[in-house]
Amino acid sequence: MRTSGAILTAANVAKLFVGISFISTSKSVSQAGLYGSAVGFVYVVLINLYCTRLLIKTRNRFKKEKIVDVCDLTAVLFGEEYRIYMSIFLSINNGLFLVCYAVFFGSQID
């Protein structure tokens, strides 16, 4: 079941590839050099492509079931009792992303 259109999907994929690694490119070049940061950037892109491939394969495998988010997928794969653990993990993960963005923008403004 697809819950978003093409524009929202494109925005999510762009967010996935841009992320904090892209906005901190100048800092990574100053710390690791041009070649080191290029290797790191290629590594991040490859990991993102692999994860996107896994998500697409999972979507195709469970086409007949109503799976809207990762918590639904967790409930299908591991059981309903693990849904709360995935919700907690996602909340902590998103909170840490917000902290990273706040630190990055704070250091850039400073």
Side-chain angles (χ1 to χ4, degrees), residues 14-102:
K15 179 186 72 155
L16 171 81
F17 286 117
V18 171
I20 197 164
S21 64
F22 185 73
I23 62 174
S24 62
T25 300
S26 59
K27 183 78 168 176
S28 67
V29 169
S30 70
Q31 289 181 341
L34 187 61
Y35 295 117
S37 61
V39 168
F41 185 73
V42 168
Y43 174 74
V44 168
V45 167
L46 290 175
I47 293 297
N48 282 329
L49 286 173
Y50 177 71
C51 291
T52 304
R53 180 177 176 265
L54 288 178
L55 287 170
I56 291 170
K57 283 178 69 172
T58 304
R59 182 201 66 196
N60 291 338
R61 183 175 178 189
F62 296 106
K63 277 186 177 179
K64 295 183 176 148
E65 298 186 39
K66 183 180 178 186
I67 298 175
V68 177
D69 58 2
V70 177
C71 296
D72 288 341
L73 181 62
T74 302
V76 168
L77 293 175
F78 302 111
E80 194 63 40
E81 63 272 7
Y82 287 97
R83 180 187 299 267
I84 187 69
Y85 296 117
M86 182 54 76
S87 298
I88 292 169
F89 173 75
L90 287 175
S91 298
I92 291 170
N93 191 25
N94 288 333
L96 290 174
F97 280 134
L98 289 175
V99 168
C100 289
Y101 282 123

